[in-house]
Amino acid sequence: MLATNYRGPYRIRASQKPDPVIEHPGDAIVRVTRACICGSDLHLYHGLVPDTRIGHTFGHEFVGIVEEVGSAVETLKPGDRVLVPFNLFCGSCFFCQRELYSNCHNTNPEATAVGGIYGYSHTTGGYDGGQAEYVRVPMADVGPYKIPEDIVDDDAVLLTDALPTGYQAAEMGDIKQGDTVVVFGAGPVGIFAAKSAWLFGAGRVIVVDHVEYRLDFVRRYARCEIINFREVGDVALHIKKMTDWLGADVCIDAVGCEASGSLAQTITGRWTMLQAGAATALFWAINSVRKAGNVSIVGVYGPTFNAVPIGNALNKGITMRMNQAAVKRHVPHLIEHIRQGHLNPKEIITHRVPLEEVSDAYHIFSSKYDNCIKTVLIPPRAGSARATATSVIH
């Protein structure tokens, strides 16, 4: 089959690999019809995630058709159209029973750090991902979700990570009616966090970034205010001016370890890797939220440490919540929001690219060329979806 093949930092290509096979009676094989490139895939692509091995197949956002199931699988059959949450989970451990699916204790040998994730290095279990024609899906009775007939694949693929993560960011912010919410990051997750903040009752939503075309998009899509941090100097001071000098009620970090905006954080977090990424957005979130406010973190950081103003968090009495999204917990009510017209996830898709051009697709997404917001890869055997793919090689 054709699949992505990681060759080292900033080097990825599509190449032929053996088809996946049933390895356990609980497995399923899914023929992928769409797979997104996630902003967190760029951390792999840039060589920032430990134990990312040569030859690994990336991709934790995908939908497809069930091709084959193991002898123990009861809830799926060949031909079912499914979305597969990015997190692998067993459904029965201490954490899964509390719907903390991203914290599953049985799907990753490094489970004390994080649960299993498709296509996201051996730090998260070493599972091959869905940027391929086929993917093996372990514990198939637990993770995959049958896509209702009235939900199109372009919406469904965004239910595997980006939309639930943005939604959970707003949920963890414990937004109260009329609250002012500041979202750091105008990428897909930040866009969905801003949109979701209104669903929780926000009275004002402000998004901070420095990429103009993304700020223009989120202003229209989420009907929010925007700040280009390169134009305001001290970001926290600017937000306090905008909020009667109190600060925001809720701040959301939807950026994570590759943030721009601070030379010191960039040098120590991205260039020399003396800390687990540049924590600039988190630094701003802590300093921009009001006393006794809430900071919600969904931006991805590495497992070691980061330089953040924890003393300010203590002295301000801030509540901080963070986690990888428990995708399957959110899918049913997000589907209802889509049906009712509150959310239209597919509107953020800007590029549908043949899987064969994955190298160029990563380059465009990473470099923010061509007003790229969200890229979907279309494998050769994706059926009718293949006709929607457009070459990015000119």
Side-chain angles (χ1 to χ4, degrees):
M1 69 167 180
L2 194 69
T4 56
N5 187 335
Y6 176 68
R7 306 311 300 165
Y10 292 88
R11 295 171 59 210
I12 193 167
R13 65 189 183 212
S15 62
Q16 291 294 322
K17 294 182 176 180
D19 288 356
V21 297
I22 300 289
E23 298 180 10
H24 182 278
D27 288 353
I29 303 299
V30 171
R31 175 169 56 85
V32 177
T33 54
R34 284 167 178 78
C36 295
I37 301 176
C38 177
S40 60
D41 285 329
L42 297 181
H43 308 329
L44 297 167
Y45 178 65
H46 295 158
L48 295 175
V49 179
D51 208 3
T52 303
R53 302 184 186 178
I54 300 299
H56 193 47
T57 301
F58 292 175
H60 57 269
E61 301 182 358
F62 59 93
V63 297
I65 308 294
V66 175
E67 285 283 304
E68 183 182 1
V69 297
S71 59
V73 175
E74 298 178 347
T75 60
L76 296 179
K77 63 182 186 306
D80 284 341
R81 193 166 61 105
V82 292
L83 68 87
V84 182
F86 75 86
N87 17 55
L88 287 101
F89 53 97
C90 70
S92 58
C93 72
F94 174 91
F95 302 100
C96 286
Q97 289 182 356
R98 288 157 179 77
E99 296 187 316
L100 297 168
Y101 301 124
S102 61
N103 306 112
C104 178
H105 214 52
N106 290 325
T107 54
N108 181 11
E110 305 292 336
T112 54
V114 63
I117 299 175
Y118 289 96
Y120 211 78
S121 84
H122 280 66
T123 305
T124 67
Y127 300 92
D128 277 335
Q131 291 171 6
E133 289 184 286
Y134 297 97
V135 61
R136 182 177 75 92
V137 175
M139 289 162 282
D141 276 333
V142 182
Y145 189 98
K146 292 182 186 177
I147 303 171
E149 289 187 5
D150 60 336
I151 300 298
V152 300
D153 280 359
D154 276 351
D155 282 333
V157 75
L158 292 165
L159 286 167
T160 61
D161 179 359
L163 176 54
T165 297
Y167 185 85
Q168 183 167 316
E171 179 190 66
M172 290 192 298
D174 194 21
I175 298 167
K176 301 293 191 300
Q177 197 70 33
D179 273 356
T180 295
V181 178
V182 174
V183 179
F184 292 92
V189 169
I191 290 168
F192 287 137
K195 190 79 173 178
S196 299
W198 297 112
L199 300 177
F200 286 92
R204 187 180 186 188
V205 179
I206 303 166
V207 175
V208 182
D209 204 301
H210 68 109
V211 181
E212 280 292 346
Y213 76 83
R214 291 190 170 190
L215 286 169
D216 287 342
F217 179 87
V218 73
R219 177 170 50 193
R220 287 181 277 107
Y221 183 81
R223 298 187 179 183
C224 60
E225 300 167 64
I226 57 172
I227 297 172
N228 184 330
F229 66 74
R230 296 204 186 282
E231 297 177 352
V232 300
D234 187 319
V235 173
L237 181 64
H238 186 79
I239 290 172
K240 287 177 181 175
K241 286 179 181 177
M242 295 177 69
T243 54
D244 294 331
W245 296 102
L246 289 178
D249 299 296
V250 177
C251 284
I252 294 172
D253 174 4
V255 180
C257 65
E258 293 197 65
S260 301
S262 164
L263 180 60
Q265 288 279 352
T266 298
I267 291 173
T268 58
R270 294 170 57 185
W271 296 353
T272 61
M273 298 187 190
L274 295 174
Q275 56 170 324
T280 310
L282 180 54
F283 197 101
W284 286 340
I286 291 171
N287 285 346
S288 300
V289 76
R290 66 165 167 79
K291 288 180 283 188
N294 298 327
V295 171
S296 170
I297 308 169
V298 291
V300 174
Y301 292 93
T304 52
F305 73 95
N306 285 95
V308 296
I310 196 65
N312 290 355
L314 167 69
N315 292 321
K316 293 170 73 174
I318 293 169
T319 297
M320 300 177 71
R321 294 189 65 193
M322 62 210 83
N323 206 346
Q324 301 272 3
V327 171
K328 197 161 186 178
R329 178 168 67 85
H330 298 298
V331 168
H333 51 263
L334 289 173
I335 284 177
E336 287 306 310
H337 280 308
I338 293 171
R339 285 173 171 154
Q340 294 170 23
H342 301 151
L343 295 169
N344 190 351
K346 62 181 176 295
E347 285 189 352
I348 77 162
I349 297 173
T350 52
H351 294 70
R352 294 174 177 82
V353 181
L355 178 61
E356 297 92 317
E357 299 179 14
V358 65
S359 178
D360 296 276
Y362 266 85
H363 178 60
I364 289 170
F365 188 49
S366 172
S367 302
K368 300 180 177 62
Y369 290 151
D370 197 27
N371 290 346
C372 183
I373 293 176
K374 191 65 173 177
T375 299
V376 177
L377 299 169
I378 311 290
R381 299 184 210 186
S384 59
R386 183 70 172 178
T388 67
T390 303
S391 175
V392 292
I393 298 175
H394 302 292

